[in-house]
Amino acid sequence: MLGEAMMSGIIMGSLFGAMAVGLTIIYGVIKMFNFAHGIIAILGAYLAWWLFSSVHLNLIGSIALSFFLMFLIGILIFISIIRVLLRTPRWPYSTIIASIGLGIFLENLLLQIFGPRIKSMPAFFESNIKVGGIMIGWHEISLIL
């Protein structure tokens, strides 16, 4: 029981770490706090889920296409909102307010489109291994890596 809880914590910590690296890169490059970072990641996840469940792409194809589309959406957000605000004299405050507003807008838009229910995707790998008496799925190992 304790081992599974620790494994779950390692998995969640790995995912939070990946998000933190993204925030650090954004701040390191343009010196902007992006408060919409999490909801933009969720937009990518919903997009991958929609491509998999409605468009019926395979798992890898839906994730790859979601990455590409989110890259384009990120460029669009940067060109249409962030780059314009970075040219203003009080850009640190403007970009913070804009990213908070964008996050709120996207969160509510996704809630209206997809609803409040949890969505799921199939696991990459179905098999498990036993490490020290703890069953660990290859899917969980892939998430950590």
Side-chain angles (χ1 to χ4, degrees):
M1 187 71 133
L2 177 63
E4 286 93 11
M6 289 176 60
M7 195 66 202
S8 177
I10 291 170
I11 294 166
M12 292 300 295
S14 298
L15 296 175
F16 286 137
M19 291 294 291
V21 167
L23 283 170
T24 303
I25 290 171
I26 291 170
Y27 184 76
V29 171
I30 61 175
K31 303 290 187 240
M32 181 194 121
F33 293 111
N34 183 8
F35 288 97
H37 186 76
I39 196 65
I40 289 173
I42 291 171
L43 174 63
Y46 271 119
L47 185 58
W49 174 81
W50 179 76
L51 290 168
F52 179 78
S53 63
S54 297
V55 180
H56 304 293
L57 287 178
N58 64 20
L59 183 61
I60 301 298
S62 62
I63 292 171
L65 185 55
S66 176
F67 269 111
F68 177 71
L69 292 174
M70 288 308 299
F71 174 75
L72 295 178
I73 290 170
I75 289 173
L76 179 68
I77 290 170
F78 180 79
I79 290 171
S80 63
I81 299 171
I82 304 302
R83 187 169 65 180
V84 173
L85 292 174
L86 287 174
R87 295 181 183 147
T88 63
R90 298 180 58 91
W91 67 266
Y93 303 111
S94 301
T95 56
I96 288 172
I97 292 168
S99 69
I100 291 171
L102 179 64
I104 292 169
F105 171 75
L106 288 175
E107 184 175 350
N108 286 291
L109 179 67
L110 291 174
L111 185 61
Q112 291 299 312
I113 293 171
F114 296 106
R117 302 282 185 239
I118 294 173
K119 313 296 188 266
S120 64
M121 300 267 290
F124 283 114
F125 308 104
E126 298 295 330
S127 61
N128 299 319
I129 60 171
K130 192 170 190 173
V131 177
I134 303 169
M135 292 298 286
I136 303 171
W138 284 106
H139 177 72
E140 286 81 14
I141 293 171
S142 71
L143 288 175
I144 293 169
L145 296 175

